Structure formats: structure tokens, C-alpha cells
Amino acid sequence: MLPLVYDEYIMAVLTPHQIENLQEQAKQSRGHLSHLIISDLLTTFHCDIETLLKTLLPVAASFSQAPISQFNVGAIAYDEKTGSAYLGANLEFTHQALNQAVHAEQAAINNAWLNGARSVSLIAITDAPCGHCRQFMNEIAGAESLRVLLPTQETDLKALLPSSFGPLDLGNSYRLLDSNTGNATSTSEALSLMLREQLSLAYAPYSKNAAAVEVVTVAHGTFYGRYAENAAYNPSLSPMQSALSQLALAGLTIDDVELESVTLVESKNGFNQKAVAQAVLDSYVADITLRHVLV
Ligand SMILES: [Zn+2]
């Protein structure tokens, strides 16, 4: 069982057995709780979605890997159109610049996006979102009406980020979670169909440097990550961080798995993700060969 944090919120509601089951379920689905699971939980607990998400926050936070701060954050993005929920947790990299870290809100939205969500209407978080995350959330489709649920307060992004700077300020009317623009994948190099698809779905409206990552493990399946840019640039999520966050939601780190291959694919004209991908991989013990493909 993963270490539990924030158990003061939930011990009255969830039994240890239920917690363990939920953690196991979340690990198997890499943090994606389908509408069937959510509706089953709503029936079991006789509660509304807000209460359920708050109840599940400690399960999300239990996937945190925070070796630097020891500050475990959990977030859950909820798509009311489909009834699905997506967990997220913070992920830090030792011996690397702090700005490489993935925040829990980014992880949850990244998880929703990778699972095909087209909207996130509500995000529950164990702590107030930092400025970086408020800006990251401002990039998604529907940010104007995004509700934010904290353990002791409900608010919305508009109130948390007044007079905001966003995609339209840079002339970009396309948003993260909108359907893709179909980035090109023309290359003679061998790439899996799935990696090509992930590249086509990357969100890079500012640099035009579409990028995606594929991590193939021997025994734990394949993980993908996509580049998600931000109008304020710095809160952008690199494709390697996006993929490693997915591993974290499966309860894994790179050092827990035997790797078959790690591939970063990006646009020929941009060529700017290799160094950051290598840097975060260097924070693990495993000696990893990064395959870099330009398309
Ligand atoms: Zn944050």
C-alpha cells in the first residue's frame, strides 16, 4: 500500500480496506476514474460529487513523489460532461532545477488530456493552487468557468486569477483540451502508431514545436506524454514530465521498472525538449538511453 497523507480528511468516511482498493484501482487505471467508478462511489457514499472528490483527494496525494519538499499534494480534475475524474499528484526531481517539478494540478489536467477529456469543469486540490498552477489552468478550454474546490473553500479560477493573461493575449484562440490541430509526423524513422498519435495531439501553439514521449517498459506497459504549452511560457509542461507523471500515477518511478525504450519525438524546426528530458531522466539511478527523433 502506498503511504497515505491527509488521512485526517478521510478516515471517518473511507475504511482502510476501501482506501487500499481505491489506491489499487487508481494504480491500475493510472489515475483515471471512469464515470462508472465515480457513479458507483457516489451511490456507495450517498454524497454529491464535491464531497466525493474531497474524500478521494488523499488517494490522489498518495501518488505524490516529493523527495525535495516532502510536501504531498493531490488534485482531481473532474469532467462533468462525461462524469470521469482524473487524479494528479506532484512530482519532484532530485538534483535538478526546481522548475522541472510537475505540480499536482498540472498532473491531473495532463491526465485528463491524455485520456481524451475535452473539458474539465471542476478541480479539487488538497491545498490552494500556486500562481504557476493558476496560470497553467488558465490555458484549458473552459477556464473561464472552472470551479476550484479546496478542503475548506469552494471558489473558481476567475476569482483566483483576476485580470489574467491568457492565450488570447498572444492571439491564440485554440486552447488546451480543444480537439487537436493534427501536428505532422513525417519521418522515415520507426515510430509506433501510438507515439505518432500522441505527437499529433501535442499542444504547442506558441513555439509550433510539437513533442511527445513514449516510455516502453518490460512488465508495466507503455506510458505516453505530450507537450502542453502555456501562454505565460514557464508553466508549460514538457513531454517527459507529462509521461513521468503518468508513471507516478501508476505508483511507479523510472527506477521501479525495466525499460525497453524511451523515445522523445519532436519537430525538426524546434529541437528544444531534449536537454530538459535528459535532465529529468538523470535524476534517476537507472542508466537510461534516450532516443531522440526529429520529424
Ligand atoms: Zn502549483
Side-chain angles (χ1 to χ4, degrees), residues 15 17 43 54 96 182 247-248 259-260 267:
T15 65
H17 181 65
T43 308
K54 280 206 270 189
Q96 298 303 327
L247 255 100
L259 291 169
E260 212 167 280
S267 305

Side-chain angles (χ1 to χ4, degrees), residues 29-101:
S29 64
R30 301 175 180 180
H32 173 201
L33 302 181
S34 71
H35 70 281
L36 295 172
I37 294 173
I38 291 294
S39 90
D40 193 38
L41 289 169
L42 287 170
T43 308
T44 304
F45 296 118
H46 303 289
C47 66
D48 56 23
I49 185 67
E50 290 81 2
T51 305
L52 178 66
L53 294 182
K54 280 206 270 189
T55 303
L56 294 175
L57 274 176
V59 177
S62 72
F63 291 96
S64 160
Q65 295 174 14
I68 301 166
S69 69
Q70 312 291 330
F71 189 78
N72 304 112
V73 186
I76 307 176
Y78 177 67
D79 176 4
E80 72 182 350
K81 284 188 187 151
T82 62
S84 294
Y86 307 89
L87 309 191
N90 57 330
L91 170 61
E92 297 171 353
F93 303 98
T94 50
H95 314 300
Q96 298 303 327
L98 291 182
N99 61 4
Q100 311 287 22

Side-chain angles (χ1 to χ4, degrees), residues 6 9 50 53-58 60-61 71-78 86 88-90 103-106 108-109 122-130 133-134 137 146-153 155-157 160:
Y6 298 99
Y9 292 134
E50 290 81 2
L53 294 182
K54 280 206 270 189
T55 303
L56 294 175
L57 274 176
F71 189 78
N72 304 112
V73 186
I76 307 176
Y78 177 67
Y86 307 89
N90 57 330
H103 295 217
E105 299 88 326
Q106 289 182 300
I109 289 169
L122 173 63
I123 186 163
I125 320 166
T126 51
D127 298 273
C130 73
C133 287
R134 295 176 197 205
M137 293 189 283
L146 177 64
R147 293 162 62 209
V148 179
L149 188 63
L150 304 175
T152 56
Q153 183 196 0
T155 180
D156 56 39
L157 185 62
L160 292 170

Side-chain angles (χ1 to χ4, degrees), residues 16 32 36 48 77 108 116 144 146-147 153 159 166 179 195 197 205 224 258 268 275 282:
H32 173 201
L36 295 172
D48 56 23
E144 296 76 10
L146 177 64
R147 293 162 62 209
Q153 183 196 0
S179 56
L195 182 53
E197 190 186 337
Y224 292 92
E258 194 184 336
K268 211 173 261 172
D282 286 347

Side-chain angles (χ1 to χ4, degrees), residues 96 100 240-241 244 262 264 273-284 286-292:
Q96 298 303 327
Q100 311 287 22
M240 186 60 76
Q241 274 89 332
L244 294 176
V262 180
L264 163 67
Q273 292 294 336
K274 191 182 176 190
V276 68
Q278 191 63 61
V280 294
L281 289 176
D282 286 347
S283 72
Y284 296 96
D287 189 15
I288 301 155
T289 305
L290 175 65
R291 180 178 169 228
H292 184 218

